[in-house]
Amino acid sequence: MSIIESLQWRYATKKFDPKKILAQEKLDILKQAFNLTATSFGLQTISMLIIKNDTLRNELLGAAYNQSQIVDASHLLVLCVKNTIKEDDVDDLFDNVSHLRQTPETILEPFRNNLKSIMQNKSLEEQQEWSINQAYIALGNLMTVCAVERIDSCPMEGFDRAQFDAILKLNERHLKSILLLPVGYRAEDDMFSSFKKVRKELKHSIVEM
Ligand SMILES: Cc1cc2nc3c(=O)[nH]c(=O)nc-3n(C[C@H](O)[C@H](O)[C@H](O)COP(=O)(O)O)c2cc1C
């Protein structure tokens, strides 16, 4: 199928078939796709939780306004951001560049220092907002990869982030939950799968100059 056919095939799945479980190789593709997502400066201040545990997902259900995808999907992906960006995060990036590309420190140092000062000049809220933007890029990337791989998914921001953070004890990992992406396979009777796509006509969303 062409990429456009894949994007037509995908839809925000409302009802998953709880009996259909993603193969490990599909999960591995989603892990790689998340990690290959482009981030600003390549800093990767985002993380992805992959939750299979049913007890845990049942605990999360109420905090996601009882949206059944949380428990019925094969796996629940939770996209998170680091709750703060530290000098160490910048050092980790540049140490990795140095290791993987053998770039001399004399070349890296000004970029390393510049990025540290950019991050230090942001308030905690600004740092988190900046990271949240990266999480949305990862969400889009994952949704497209899911479509190409014929994995059903449902992007979700309809949940209580603070309750998720508490249930998942994310503070201990210095993370905050931002977005959900239940993934798996659609139930045969999910009526939304047959609904026509509702989109503006291209002439109303594209401006050509
Ligand atoms: C950022 C974002 C958050 C969303 N949150 C929810 C949600 O909490 N629950 C839900 O059922 N759908 C949610 N959706 C799905 C949208 O309603 C859906 O993508 C949109 O209506 C277009 O339909 P389609 O994805 O089926 O083409 C969300 C979509 C996006 C992109």
Side-chain angles (χ1 to χ4, degrees):
M1 278 200 198
S2 72
I3 187 69
I4 296 304
E5 284 168 332
S6 292
L7 293 175
Q8 291 281 4
W9 174 88
R10 75 145 291 282
Y11 72 108
T13 304
K14 303 291 176 191
K15 192 173 176 194
F16 284 87
D17 183 341
K19 293 188 293 299
K20 292 190 182 157
I21 307 300
L22 287 179
Q24 187 57 46
E25 67 188 38
K26 293 286 188 191
L27 283 170
D28 289 343
I29 290 170
L30 297 183
K31 290 180 195 176
Q32 292 284 357
F34 175 78
N35 202 46
L36 283 168
T37 296
T39 58
S40 185
F41 297 109
L43 199 52
Q44 291 187 273
T45 53
I46 53 175
S47 296
M48 181 169 82
L49 315 179
I50 303 176
I51 306 181
K52 178 72 194 130
N53 185 297
D54 287 338
T55 314
L56 193 51
R57 288 199 282 164
N58 272 300
E59 267 184 70
L60 294 168
L61 185 60
Y65 313 115
N66 293 315
Q67 298 187 78
S68 63
Q69 299 100 317
I70 302 293
V71 286
D72 287 343
S74 167
H75 291 74
L76 175 64
L77 309 184
V78 183
L79 305 192
C80 303
V81 296
K82 277 179 168 274
N83 54 16
T84 168
I85 303 174
K86 299 206 170 83
E87 283 208 347
D88 281 354
D89 297 308
V90 176
D91 280 329
D92 285 348
L93 167 64
F94 284 95
D95 292 351
N96 213 12
V97 174
S98 164
H99 170 67
L100 293 171
R101 293 184 178 164
Q102 310 295 310
T103 313
E105 183 55 29
T106 44
I107 292 176
L108 292 179
E109 197 188 350
F111 296 103
R112 192 190 283 264
N113 293 337
N114 183 42
L115 189 50
K116 281 181 186 174
S117 85
I118 289 172
M119 291 305 152
Q120 276 161 4
N121 286 334
K122 289 186 194 296
S123 67
L124 200 63
E125 289 71 30
E126 286 169 340
Q127 285 184 351
Q128 287 178 4
E129 207 51 45
W130 182 85
S131 292
I132 288 170
N133 291 338
Q134 322 302 316
Y136 276 86
I137 295 171
L139 179 79
N141 197 26
L142 284 167
M143 287 166 64
T144 303
V145 170
C146 280
V148 169
E149 290 293 323
R150 293 297 176 271
I151 298 168
D152 285 301
S153 70
C154 184
M156 295 172 93
E157 48 186 11
F159 69 105
D160 187 313
R161 288 175 176 172
Q163 283 188 46
F164 261 60
D165 293 355
I167 294 167
L168 297 169
K169 300 186 174 63
L170 292 186
N171 206 28
E172 290 174 14
R173 298 176 192 271
H174 309 290
L175 294 175
K176 280 177 162 312
S177 60
I178 303 302
L179 288 160
L180 308 179
L181 189 69
V183 290
Y185 297 100
R186 62 189 72 175
E188 271 171 28
D189 62 347
D190 184 1
M191 61 179 181
F192 285 86
S193 67
S194 58
F195 284 180
K196 216 163 181 273
K197 274 243 173 280
V198 178
R199 292 294 189 272
K200 291 178 178 179
E201 287 180 52
L202 284 183
K203 66 181 177 197
H204 296 308
S205 62
I206 309 286
V207 180
E208 293 190 87
M209 296 183 179

